[in-house]
Amino acid sequence: MWDRVRKARARLFRSPHTEEDSNREDRTHQEKRTHNLFEAAAVYVSARAEDDQDQIDEASGWVSPEALSFGVSELACRAVIALARERDESPQTVARTLLGLPAA
C-alpha cells in the first residue's frame, strides 16, 4: 500500500530521487524474475548448440541442476518426436541417427 502512495506522490511531484528509487526497484524485480525450467532448458540447449558459454552458465543458474536435467530431457523427447513425424520415421531411428549410431 505504501508503495502505491509513494509512486503516486512521485508522479505528482516528479522528484528525481523518487524516480531513481522506482527505477532501481524495477531493475531489482527483473533481476529476481524466476525462470521456468523449460525456458532454462531451451536457453541452455540453444547455447550449447551455439557454444555460448556465458549463456550456458546463465541458464544453468536459473533452476536447480535436477530441474534443468528434466527440462533438457523433455526438450530432447519433443525434438525427436517432431523430427520423427517430419521424416516419417520412428523416434528410435531418428535418435540413433542424431547420435551417429547404426540402425538397430
Side-chain angles (χ1 to χ4, degrees), residues 30-40 43 58-59 61-63:
Q30 289 173 349
E31 290 169 3
K32 290 182 180 179
R33 179 180 171 275
T34 59
H35 294 275
N36 178 302
L37 72 96
F38 295 116
E39 178 183 19
V43 170
E58 184 176 345
W62 290 349
V63 294

Side-chain angles (χ1 to χ4, degrees), residues 1-11 18-19 21-26 29:
M1 180 177 134
W2 291 111
D3 190 45
R4 283 190 209 166
V5 171
R6 188 174 49 76
K7 286 181 181 180
R9 180 181 165 272
R11 274 185 253 126
T18 306
E19 287 180 16
D21 289 347
S22 179
N23 290 339
R24 188 179 318 119
E25 286 176 10
D26 290 343
H29 176 68

Side-chain angles (χ1 to χ4, degrees), residues 78-97:
R78 293 178 187 194
V80 167
I81 290 169
L83 280 173
R85 288 179 182 156
E86 184 179 295
R87 296 177 180 182
D88 198 27
E89 296 176 347
S90 75
Q92 182 179 11
T93 301
V94 170
R96 294 182 70 80
T97 301

